[in-house]
Amino acid sequence: MSRQDEGRGGADGGPTVTERVLGILSAFGPGAEALTLSGIARAAGLPLSTAHRLVGELAAWGALERGEDGRYRIGLRLWEVGALAPRSLGLRERAMPYLEDLYEATRQNVQLAVRDGHEVVYVERLAHPEAVRVFSRVGGRMPLHATGVGQVLLAFAPSVVQEEVLAGPLPPLTPKTITEAHALRRALAAVRREGVAVCDGMVDPVALSVAAPVRGEDDRVVASLSVVVPSAGAEPRAIVPAVRAAARGISRALGSPAARRRPLGVVTPLTGAAAGEPAGAERGA
Amino acid sequence: MSRQDEGRGGADGGPTVTERVLGILSAFGPGAEALTLSGIARAAGLPLSTAHRLVGELAAWGALERGEDGRYRIGLRLWEVGALAPRSLGLRERAMPYLEDLYEATRQNVQLAVRDGHEVVYVERLAHPEAVRVFSRVGGRMPLHATGVGQVLLAFAPSVVQEEVLAGPLPPLTPKTITEAHALRRALAAVRREGVAVCDGMVDPVALSVAAPVRGEDDRVVASLSVVVPSAGAEPRAIVPAVRAAARGISRALGSPAARRRPLGVVTPLTGAAAGEPAGAERGA
DNA sequence: GTGCTCCTTCCGGTGACCGGAAGCTCGATT
DNA sequence: AATCGAGCTTCCGGTCACCGGAAGGAGCAC
C-alpha cells in the first residue's frame, strides 16, 4: 500500500484498464503510424502479455488494424468515430467551400486550426504540391506563440490561457520566433486590433503566414484560418483582405452575429462561395 | 455460472472493460454527435454508475469532451488519433490536389471512399454549396451495391467479398437501385471492363455519379473516387475522362506501377479506354 | 548452430472493477 | 408550492475479470 502510484489520478494501485487502453492509443502519433506489438507495449509501459490481450480486443473492434507486416495501425473504425468530433466535422464542413476559394485564389497553403490547451491543432490543410513546404499536418500540433493561427487563437483566448502561455517558456523554432513575453504581448494586442496576424519566418525561415479569427454562434473565436506563402517577395497586403473575407465568411456560416453585419461597401473578394447564400437577407437592419 | 453471456466473444462472464469502453464510443454516430451520460449508458447497455466512471476516464484523457450543456461529444484528442489511420491520412494527403482539380473543374461533388467489409466509407468529400445535395458525409457509410464508388470497390474486391455481397440482400434506396444479383454481376463486369462506374439515380433519383478506381503500390484497388452531378441533363461522357485522369493521378502518387506506365497502347482494365486520353485532360479545357 | 527479437498461449492469485442504492440538482407539471 | 421525473454524482463491499510471469514457437542475422 505504500507503493507509489503512477497513474489512476492519485489513488493507489496501477492504472485502470481504460487508462491502459488509452495509453495504447497514445503510443501512436505522427512518425509512429505503424507499431509492432512490442513497440506498443514499450511505449505504453505495459507487459507484453497485457498489451497482447488489449491490442487484440482493439483490433477485433476495428480501433486498430493489423497490416500484412504484422504491425498495427490505427483502424478505420476509430477514424470514423473521431470524425464525429464537432470541432473537426462541423467546422470543417462549413469551412471547406471558403478554404477552397482561398486555395484556388492563392494556390498556396491554406490551413484551418483550433486551440487545445496551449497548442494549435490543425484541422484541415490544403496544400499545393508546388507551394512552400509547411511543417504542419492534419491532426498535428504546434505551439501557440510561434504560428500565425496560434497567435490569433491566443489573442482571443481566455486571459487565463494567455497568462499561462506568457508565463511559460516560449521556445524558438527559428531565429525570428518571438520568445519574449512582452514582445508576444504586443503582438497579441496588434492581432486584436488588426484582426489578422502576420508571421514572417517564425516557423520556417522562408515562409510567411497570414491568419485571421473564425467566430462561432456566440461570437467567441473558435478557430483560425491562415494562408502560408513564400517569405521572399511576399506581399501580405494582397493576401490580408482575402484571408479576412474568408474568415468572416466561415464565421457567418457558423452563425456568428458579428460576421452577419455587413462591412460597409466592402465587397467580398472571393465571391464563389460567399455569394452563394444571401445570408444577410432575412434581417435588413 | 449458468447465466448466459452477452459479449466477450463466447466466453462466460460479462463484456470486458475494453469492450465496454469501445461500446461507449460506438454510442456516438451520425445523428448522435452529442449524448447525455444516461444516453450513453442506454446505448451502450451499461449501468449508469459504470458508464459514469468510464465516461469520466475517457473525458479526462480527451477522448470525449463535455459541453456546456452537460452533454458529451467526441473529443479532439480522439479525432487526432483517428487522423493517423493510414487509410485516411496517407490516402487523403496524396489525393487532395487531384480532388481539388476535379472539384474546381466540375464545381460539383467530389468524393473519395474506401471499402470496409460490405460497406463504403467516405474518407473525403468536397461539395459546392449549390451542387446537388448528396447523402454521404465524411466518415459516413453506404452499401456497396448502390453507389458509384461502392460498385467500383466491389468490382475490384476479392471474389469472396463479391460473392458475399451478391448472396446477401441488396436493399433498394430508390426505384433505380440495382437489387438483383445477376444485374449487379453484369454491372461489376462492366466496371472492370470500362474502368469506371456510372450510377444514375441509385442513391438519389436526381443525382448521377461517375466513379473510378484508385490503385496502391501493389496495384490493388485501395480506394475509389467519384463525381456526383445532377441527373438531369448530365453528360457523363464529359466527366468520365476527368474522373479517370484524376484517379490515375492519385494512383500514380500512391506508387501504382500500372498507373506509372504510359498509356500508349497499353491495354489493362484500368487504362483500356483511358489510353486515348492524355493524363491531364481537364487541364486542356 | 546460436542468439536475438517478436509473438502467442496458459493459468492461478488478487485487487480492480462492478453496480445497487442513496442523495442531489434541475425543470416541468399539477 | 408541492410533486414528479430525468439526469447526475458519490459511496462501498463482494467477487470475478484482469494481470503478468513463464514457457514455447517462429523468424531472422550472424
Side-chain angles (χ1 to χ4, degrees):
Chain A
M1 70 258 288
S2 57
R3 199 266 224 84
Q4 204 68 349
D5 64 289
E6 51 203 294
R8 179 82 95 154
D12 60 346
T16 67
V17 177
T18 309
E19 282 169 345
R20 289 168 201 248
V21 167
L22 296 174
I24 287 175
L25 297 184
S26 298
F28 294 85
E33 289 94 359
L35 298 172
T36 63
L37 178 58
S38 321
I40 295 173
R42 222 177 298 122
L46 295 175
L48 190 56
S49 58
T50 301
H52 181 257
R53 181 167 29 84
L54 297 179
V55 165
E57 287 193 86
L58 288 170
W61 185 80
L64 300 180
E65 282 174 7
R66 188 159 203 187
E68 291 175 2
D69 55 358
R71 295 195 298 173
Y72 292 92
R73 287 152 235 268
I74 298 295
L76 200 60
R77 185 94 182 264
L78 195 61
W79 173 82
E80 254 179 276
V81 175
L84 294 168
R87 292 218 271 166
S88 151
L89 188 58
L91 179 60
R92 237 190 61 102
E93 202 86 327
R94 325 249 191 148
M96 259 314 201
Y98 298 91
L99 300 184
E100 293 292 344
D101 282 352
L102 209 48
Y103 171 77
E104 212 173 294
T106 61
R107 284 270 148 189
Q108 289 291 338
N109 301 284
V110 181
Q111 306 180 318
L112 184 68
V114 300
R115 182 177 63 82
D116 192 46
H118 294 177
E119 290 175 307
V120 173
V121 177
Y122 291 94
V123 164
E124 185 54 88
R125 192 168 80 88
L126 303 180
H128 196 268
E130 293 169 23
V132 209
R133 263 265 158 274
V134 292
F135 297 134
S136 65
R137 55 184 275 173
V138 171
R141 287 176 179 258
M142 285 289 238
L144 286 173
H145 71 281
T147 58
V149 279
Q151 288 187 6
V152 166
L153 290 169
L154 186 54
F156 295 97
S159 50
V160 189
V161 176
Q162 292 186 20
E163 293 309 323
E164 285 170 1
V165 172
L166 285 163
L170 302 172
L173 301 184
T174 75
K176 278 189 176 179
T177 309
I178 291 183
T179 57
E180 293 186 24
H182 68 272
L184 180 53
R185 210 180 281 274
R186 245 183 298 133
L188 296 182
V191 170
R192 277 187 294 269
R193 200 170 53 242
E194 309 286 345
V196 283
V198 180
C199 283
D200 190 0
M202 289 198 189
V203 178
D204 182 326
V206 303
L208 177 148
S209 84
V210 178
V214 173
R215 295 167 184 277
E217 292 178 65
D218 51 3
D219 264 343
R220 270 187 298 187
V221 172
V222 296
S224 176
L225 155 71
S226 80
V227 173
V228 180
V229 300
S231 203
E235 186 48 75
R237 281 196 300 184
I239 311 168
V240 167
V243 173
R244 255 208 209 101
R248 167 180 281 268
I250 298 170
S251 301
R252 196 186 311 119
L254 290 174
S256 157
R260 197 162 285 157
R261 269 177 259 137
R262 284 298 190 182
L264 286 176
V266 174
V267 179
T268 39
L270 302 171
T271 58
E277 49 172 38
E282 6 85 301
R283 205 146 293 187
Chain B
M1 61 206 14
S2 56
R3 199 264 226 83
Q4 204 69 347
D5 65 288
E6 54 202 292
R8 180 83 97 149
D12 60 345
T16 67
V17 177
T18 308
E19 281 168 347
R20 289 168 201 246
V21 167
L22 296 173
I24 288 175
L25 297 185
S26 297
F28 294 85
E33 289 92 0
L35 298 173
T36 63
L37 178 58
S38 320
I40 294 173
R42 223 177 298 122
L46 295 175
L48 190 55
S49 57
T50 300
H52 182 256
R53 181 168 29 86
L54 297 179
V55 165
E57 288 193 86
L58 288 170
W61 186 78
L64 299 180
E65 283 175 8
R66 187 159 205 188
E68 291 174 2
D69 55 357
R71 296 197 297 173
Y72 291 92
R73 287 153 234 270
I74 298 296
L76 199 61
R77 184 92 181 268
L78 196 60
W79 172 81
E80 253 179 275
V81 175
L84 294 168
R87 288 166 88 191
S88 151
L89 188 60
L91 180 59
R92 237 190 61 104
E93 202 87 327
R94 324 249 192 148
M96 259 313 198
Y98 298 91
L99 300 184
E100 293 292 345
D101 283 351
L102 208 48
Y103 170 78
E104 211 173 296
T106 61
R107 284 269 148 190
Q108 289 290 339
N109 301 283
V110 181
Q111 305 180 320
L112 183 68
V114 299
R115 182 177 63 81
D116 193 43
H118 294 176
E119 289 174 307
V120 172
V121 178
Y122 291 94
V123 165
E124 185 55 86
R125 191 167 81 88
L126 302 180
H128 196 270
E130 293 170 23
V132 208
R133 263 265 159 274
V134 292
F135 298 134
S136 66
R137 55 183 275 174
V138 172
R141 287 177 180 259
M142 286 290 239
L144 285 172
H145 72 280
T147 58
V149 280
Q151 288 186 6
V152 167
L153 290 169
L154 186 55
F156 295 98
S159 50
V160 189
V161 175
Q162 292 186 22
E163 293 310 323
E164 284 169 1
V165 172
L166 284 163
L170 303 171
L173 302 184
T174 74
K176 279 190 175 176
T177 309
I178 291 182
T179 56
E180 293 186 23
H182 68 271
L184 181 54
R185 212 180 279 275
R186 245 180 300 130
L188 296 182
V191 170
R192 276 187 293 268
R193 198 171 53 244
E194 307 287 344
V196 280
V198 179
C199 281
D200 190 358
M202 290 199 190
V203 177
D204 181 327
V206 303
L208 177 148
S209 84
V210 178
V214 173
R215 293 167 184 275
E217 293 180 63
D218 51 3
D219 265 341
R220 269 186 299 188
V221 172
V222 296
S224 174
L225 153 71
S226 80
V227 172
V228 180
V229 300
S231 204
E235 186 47 78
R237 281 198 299 185
I239 311 169
V240 166
V243 173
R244 250 203 211 110
R248 165 182 280 268
I250 298 170
S251 301
R252 198 182 309 120
L254 289 174
S256 157
R260 196 165 287 155
R261 267 179 258 136
R262 286 326 232 176
L264 280 178
V266 177
V267 181
T268 72
L270 175 64
T271 61
E277 288 292 340
E282 86 278 27
R283 296 242 169 75

